[in-house]
Amino acid sequence: HAKKQGRNGYCFFEHGMNANVHLQMQMQQNLRQAVSRNELVLHYQPKFVAPAGPMTGLEALLRWQSPDHGFLSPDRFLPLAESSGLIVPIGNWVIEEACRQMRVWYDQGHREWSVAVNLSAVQLEHHSLVDVVREALKKHSLDPSHLVLEITETTAMRNAETSLTVLNKLSALGVSISIDDFGTGYSSLLYLKRLPANELKIDRGFITELAQDNDDEAIIQAIIALGKTLDMRIVAEGVETAEQQALLTQLGCNTLQGYLLARPAPPDALLEKIAHMTKRTESALVT
Ligand code: C2E
Ligand code: MG
Ligand code: MG
Ligand code: MG
């Protein structure tokens, strides 16, 4: 079709494509060196006991501070990291860094917190994962109970039997397994029952329209009932309004996470915010 548009149209199309392919290649080249150049950073988003605390743990969320491309969220570079296999060394760095940071928090007295790390399918299917997790915990003398691994339903299902084997090994180490973005994938109830998961995170999509949509409320109720039957902790992600917060608590959701309570932030900014929240809760209790 481009050719029929004449010479200019054709050239434009081709140049456009080249520019895009070139950018992708350049990004991949840069991403390859991102770990060694210390360009990757973890922000952390707290999880709270419903409705408003205390804080039970934090989820590590990856960002890339690239001199060439700017400050990037995962959706801008994760697909590239996954298709190129770079997610394996990058993911190993995330596991190691999150454990290091959890050790720091633990030493500051936050002994009941846990840190959650997101895993891609490529990482889950890579033979080194269990060793990497074991070594990171050992290196930072961290009890496995302080580490949670978040895997989406879709990730677990991509290679269902392999996933099950690896997750069982990880669970045997003593780390917790969390099923992320639950309700968006296609896992059967039978498969879910076989997964050694301790936590179920209801996908943000169901939370967004909660107050407006009766179907979403019914679905959330069903997910909570299912999770409780399977002895899992239920987390709602993406809580943005006080109305959602109240309704989710009333429906029996144990844990809340979302912009309403706290946005993802670097560790220092986060501790300040938590200190403020704790003070507010304490004074609320006094009055
Ligand atoms: P996720 O694990 O489901 O994380 C939740 C995403 O929702 C995060 O986006 C978070 O910043 C955002 N979020 C949290 N609360 C709210 C809210 O109230 N409203 C809205 N609109 N959004 C909220 P982020 O940080 O861009 O991460 C996107 C996804 O990238 C994550 O989804 C996770 O699947 C993946 N990811 C992040 N870090 C890593 C990592 O280190 N390794 C791997 N493999 N994947 C990661
Ligand atoms: Mg997650
Ligand atoms: Mg999620
Ligand atoms: Mg997600």
Side-chain angles (χ1 to χ4, degrees), residues 55-92:
M55 214 184 102
T56 58
L58 307 98
E59 175 176 7
L61 294 161
L62 182 63
R63 275 92 182 93
W64 177 21
Q65 177 73 70
S66 162
D68 291 342
H69 312 289
F71 188 77
L72 302 182
S73 287
D75 58 325
R76 296 284 306 282
F77 64 91
L78 265 189
L80 190 62
E82 284 164 0
S83 65
S84 62
L86 286 172
I87 190 62
V88 172
I90 289 173
N92 291 350

Side-chain angles (χ1 to χ4, degrees), residues 41-173:
V41 284
L42 292 182
H43 283 192
Y44 294 88
Q45 185 180 34
K47 301 180 183 178
F48 298 90
V49 173
M55 214 184 102
T56 58
L58 307 98
E59 175 176 7
L61 294 161
L62 182 63
R63 275 92 182 93
W64 177 21
Q65 177 73 70
S66 162
D68 291 342
H69 312 289
F71 188 77
L72 302 182
S73 287
D75 58 325
R76 296 284 306 282
F77 64 91
L78 265 189
L80 190 62
E82 284 164 0
S83 65
S84 62
L86 286 172
I87 190 62
V88 172
I90 289 173
N92 291 350
W93 176 85
V94 173
I95 292 166
E96 149 84 28
E97 172 60 16
C99 287
R100 189 197 63 74
Q101 181 61 60
M102 184 59 236
R103 181 74 225 180
V104 171
W105 285 324
Y106 185 89
D107 290 340
Q108 288 170 349
H110 303 294
R111 311 242 149 142
E112 62 298 327
W113 289 3
S114 61
V115 73
V117 168
N118 291 286
L119 296 181
S120 299
V122 183
Q123 296 176 266
L124 195 63
E125 288 159 16
H126 197 269
H127 62 86
S128 68
L129 180 65
V130 179
D131 286 336
V132 167
V133 170
R134 190 190 297 109
E135 285 307 309
L137 291 167
K138 194 171 143 197
K139 180 173 175 192
H140 298 287
S141 321
L142 205 59
D143 191 88
S145 60
H146 291 286
L147 182 63
V148 178
L149 298 173
E150 293 193 5
I151 291 129
T152 68
E153 216 188 330
T154 312
T155 291
M157 287 307 290
R158 192 169 96 158
N159 210 326
E161 290 307 314
T162 311
S163 298
L164 207 54
T165 308
V166 177
L167 292 176
N168 277 323
K169 282 184 190 165
L170 290 167
S171 183
L173 277 185

Side-chain angles (χ1 to χ4, degrees), residues 118 152 180-181 203-204 237:
N118 291 286
T152 68
D180 206 350
D181 300 354
D203 188 70
R204 176 155 58 86
E237 62 172 18

Side-chain angles (χ1 to χ4, degrees), residues 25 28 53 55 68 171-172 175 189-190 194 262:
M25 282 173 61
Q28 186 172 326
M55 214 184 102
D68 291 342
S171 183
V175 304
L189 296 184
L190 197 60
R194 291 172 68 203

